[in-house]
Amino acid sequence: MQTTPTEHSTTYVGIDGCKSGWFVAILQGEQLRFQLCQTLAEVDARLPRHSIVFIDMPIGFIEPGEAQRQCDRLARQALPGRRGSVFPVPCRQAVYADDYSTACGINAAEIGKRFPIQTWHIVPKMREVHQLLQMQPGCHGRYYESHPELVFAGFAQAPMAELKSTVAGQQARLAVIAAQVPHWLPVIEQALSETLKKHAKPDDIIDAFVLLLAASQPKHWQFLPAVADPDSEGLNRQIVYAPWLN
C-alpha cells in the first residue's frame, strides 16, 4: 500500500537535471524558492529531514528478461504524441559501463536491445540517483520518480501539443502551472530571468516547478503502476504524478 505525507512541516521539492547539474524548486511552508546544485548529494544535504522529492530521473533499472519497465510502458500509453519523451531505461550493468558502445553491448546481452545515445547522455545522472539511494537508505521513502510531461498532461487533461523546447511550448506549460498556482508565477519568472541558459534551460526550470507542484499535492498522487514494482535491489519502479486538481 502506498502512503503519502501528512505532516504540515513537510518540505516539497521538484528536481530536474540541467547542464550545470540539477535545478531544484522548493516549497517550504509558504516559501517558494529555487537553487542550482552541481550534484544530487549536494541537493540532498541542503534539504530538511522531512522532505518529499519528485525527480525526473529513473529510480530502479530494467531487469534481465524484461522488455521494459512497467512504469515506462504505462507512461507512454498515457502520452500519445509524446511517447518519445519517456526514454528507455538501461539495465544496471549498462548504466555503469565506461562508454556508450560497451553499454549498448551489455544492454543487448542482458535484455536484447541497445538504447539511444540520448539516454546515454543522462546516464551520469542516473548513476547519481542510484548511488544516493544506495548510500542513503533513508532517501528511499523521500524520493519519487516523476515525469514532467505526464504531470503536465494530468494538469491539462491532455498531453501538451507544443514541444517544451519552443517558446510556445514553454508559455503553454507556464499557463498550466498558472491555472493551479498563479501566485507562483513571479518566482518562476525570476528563476527564468536570473538563471543563465548555459546552466539550465528554460524547460528544465519549468519542469522542476511542475514536479514541485505535483509533489505538493500528496492527496492527489497517482502511481504507475498502481502496485509497487521493485527491482532486484528493492528500488521501487513507479512513476508518480498528480492529475487535474481544479
Side-chain angles (χ1 to χ4, degrees):
M1 174 182 290
Q2 295 294 340
T3 59
T4 55
T6 57
E7 295 186 32
H8 294 295
S9 60
T10 300
T11 295
Y12 296 101
V13 185
I15 303 179
D16 197 61
C18 61
K19 292 180 180 180
S20 65
W22 303 89
F23 187 90
V24 187
I26 303 167
L27 182 65
Q28 191 168 16
E30 297 298 319
Q31 182 188 18
L32 179 65
R33 56 190 174 90
F34 59 89
Q35 61 187 36
L36 278 168
C37 293
Q38 288 188 332
T39 68
L40 192 58
E42 178 187 352
V43 174
D44 190 70
R46 293 184 178 187
L47 294 179
R49 179 180 177 185
H50 296 293
S51 298
I52 294 296
V53 180
F54 273 27
I55 187 168
D56 180 22
M57 200 57 58
I59 294 178
F61 302 113
I62 192 169
E63 296 286 352
E66 293 180 335
Q68 58 186 322
R69 301 190 309 167
Q70 288 188 66
C71 57
D72 296 330
R73 175 177 59 82
L74 294 170
R76 292 186 185 104
Q77 289 177 357
L79 290 169
R82 284 284 174 265
R83 295 170 61 90
S85 67
V86 183
F87 285 9
V89 175
C91 67
R92 187 178 303 103
Q93 296 91 330
V95 167
Y96 283 92
D98 291 331
D99 56 70
Y100 176 58
S101 178
T102 302
C104 281
I106 293 172
N107 215 57
E110 291 291 330
I111 65 172
K113 57 186 175 182
R114 297 164 62 88
F115 57 88
I117 189 66
Q118 291 89 340
T119 298
W120 179 250
H121 290 158
I122 63 171
V123 157
K125 286 184 166 54
M126 291 186 192
R127 293 176 191 158
E128 278 196 71
V129 174
H130 182 247
Q131 289 166 359
L132 177 69
L133 295 174
Q134 292 299 306
M135 295 173 62
Q136 303 284 351
C139 291
H140 285 217
R142 300 194 293 119
Y143 279 74
Y144 295 82
E145 178 181 349
S146 190
H147 194 289
E149 288 301 295
L150 189 62
V151 173
F152 275 117
F155 289 154
Q157 298 187 293
M160 302 302 293
E162 302 284 349
L163 294 174
K164 68 178 184 178
S165 58
T166 66
V167 172
Q170 290 157 18
Q171 290 301 315
R173 285 162 176 78
L174 286 173
V176 170
I177 296 175
Q180 304 288 345
V181 281
H183 57 288
W184 281 21
L185 282 188
V187 176
I188 299 175
E189 294 290 355
Q190 179 188 0
L192 290 167
S193 64
E194 292 183 358
T195 305
L196 298 178
K197 291 183 180 179
K198 68 179 182 179
H199 293 154
K201 297 181 295 182
D203 53 281
D204 299 328
I205 295 168
I206 295 169
D207 282 351
F209 277 103
V210 85
L211 291 179
L212 170 60
L213 178 56
S216 70
Q217 302 295 324
K219 292 181 180 179
H220 296 277
W221 288 356
Q222 299 285 330
F223 294 82
L224 297 179
V227 178
D229 179 33
D231 69 3
S232 59
E233 292 184 328
L235 296 178
N236 197 18
R237 301 178 297 178
Q238 285 181 305
I239 295 177
V240 192
Y241 71 107
W244 190 54
L245 303 180
N246 291 334

